[in-house]
Amino acid sequence: MYLDSSLKDPVRTSLDSLTSVAAERETIEQLLAIGTALSDCLNLTELLDLILTKSREITCSDAGSVYLIDRTEREPKLIFKAAQTDSLPQLSFQFASIPLNLESLAGYVATTGESLNIPDAYALPSNVPYKFDRHFDLEFAYRTVSVLVLPMQNRDGDTIGVLQLIDRKLNADLRITPANALSITQPYSDWEQQIVRSLASQAAISIERNHLLESIEELFAGFVTASVQVIESRDPTTAGHSERVAQLCVRLSQEVSSVDTGKLAAIHFSDRQLQEIRYAALLHDFGKVSIPEAIVQKSNKLYPHQLTELSYRFNLLRRTWQLECAEQKFSYLLNTPLSHQHQGDNNCHQCGYLQQLDLELTAKLDRLQSYWELLTKLNQPDVIITSKFAQTLDPIATDLQQLAQYTYRDLAGNLQPLLTPAEIEQLLIPRGSLTVAERLVVESHVSHTYDFLRKIPWTKQLQNVPKIAGSHHEKLDGSGYPYGLTATEIPIQSQMMTIADIYDALTASDRPYKPRLSLDRTLAILHQEAAGGKLDSNLLALFEQRQVYTVLSDPNFN
């Protein structure tokens, strides 16, 4: 059938128009999908690759690269952050920097904020300030023809980077060589330039958001590091404890995630959750900043000033007895008649009396010295529960009761007990160095930790840090503190932290008030706790079987 040309052209025009509208509509839909993808991407490297991939897909570009402006140094520069090339898929790019000036294509766009749409990179006008660097083409047998270079600008219009697309192809499946490049590529259209520039701006906003998130994370990381330093400055004897507990917790969490059978198989921790666990472990003792420093650093049952004062009393009593003995001798000699004085033989009554006074004084001083030696031994933590002292506990109690009857006169002449009831209570602490009241103060650090951490506006990925850190002294049977939580109420992260905390407390070599336990002894204590329903036996078994403790890498420990 013959179709008149006057009718044919309008039909073709309409068809072409419809095709163009459909293509533009498809492009817009792609842009909407890209926008959603950019919003969901939180990793900067993945974000830049996504921006580059989608920009190339829309424009059918063979290659492309992304530069970000680095203003951290005195002279700003462009950092080559991402690159892709379909025709050279195996090529590994070396990321570097270039000066931020007008001499390069990317530098010109970053400096001026203008776009460059170049039909042929090898045929630049002679009057432009920028040049195309052909080193890549020569080295890898490539041919750059059409180039689209666009500024990535944020909401304020500031350029934060450059998006560069290379060689718009007639067909996405084509591979470019120096021989075919001119025949299978074409210039970028104004429509593509407009669309990609819009995408570049959207990408810039996503990059800035990513930088903001990174800054927030760096802020939290800095806060955590500073907090750990504050904790350890309060008690230098436990320096490194928080970091060791964090290492143990993260490693145990990773091992839990790898389990594919049993009760732990359903538990898996993401990278974000591992970071949350690490922060909680580093901050688990932060509440100790509210505990009096004297209690935090108390290494013996008596405080140093108490032991010094007690030594002063003992010395004062010694001097008092010596003075009293000397006065007795003087009084005796003064009041004894001359006829009864020294007779010059071994049966001299006067000499015998004076010697008796010396013997009595020596016996009293020796007895007092034995009491002092007993006190200094009792002052050591855990000494009462040792086998040696356990066998002589009754005589020790008797000695302390007798010592409690001793008195001395203070500088005002008033009688005072040589050893106060409070000091006796401290010396009879069966385990550790803290009294019941002091231990309650120390245990309150967990509540202080939780109260402090929950006031911090944590990000969504770190929102459980207060709960995890605030539950590390809870036990599965409800015997822990501060809230007496039971198994179903204690986060699994806190249960792992409890194991790590106990392990490090028992094996740490930096505690001057207790000896370091061996690995076998430590594991035996942990298993005893698990058998008593206080620790999770599955977590402990994994801790031992996978040798989680080796993460601390102490070659001298076994």
Side-chain angles (χ1 to χ4, degrees), residues 325 328-329 352-362:
C325 180
Q328 283 182 289
K329 290 179 179 180
Y353 180 74
L354 295 177
Q355 289 174 356
Q356 181 62 32
L357 290 178
D358 286 336
L359 291 174
E360 291 176 0
L361 175 61
T362 299

Side-chain angles (χ1 to χ4, degrees), residues 54 63 217 275 428 438 557:
K54 296 303 180 181
E217 291 185 357
Q275 183 186 46
L428 289 177
E438 290 168 340
F557 182 62

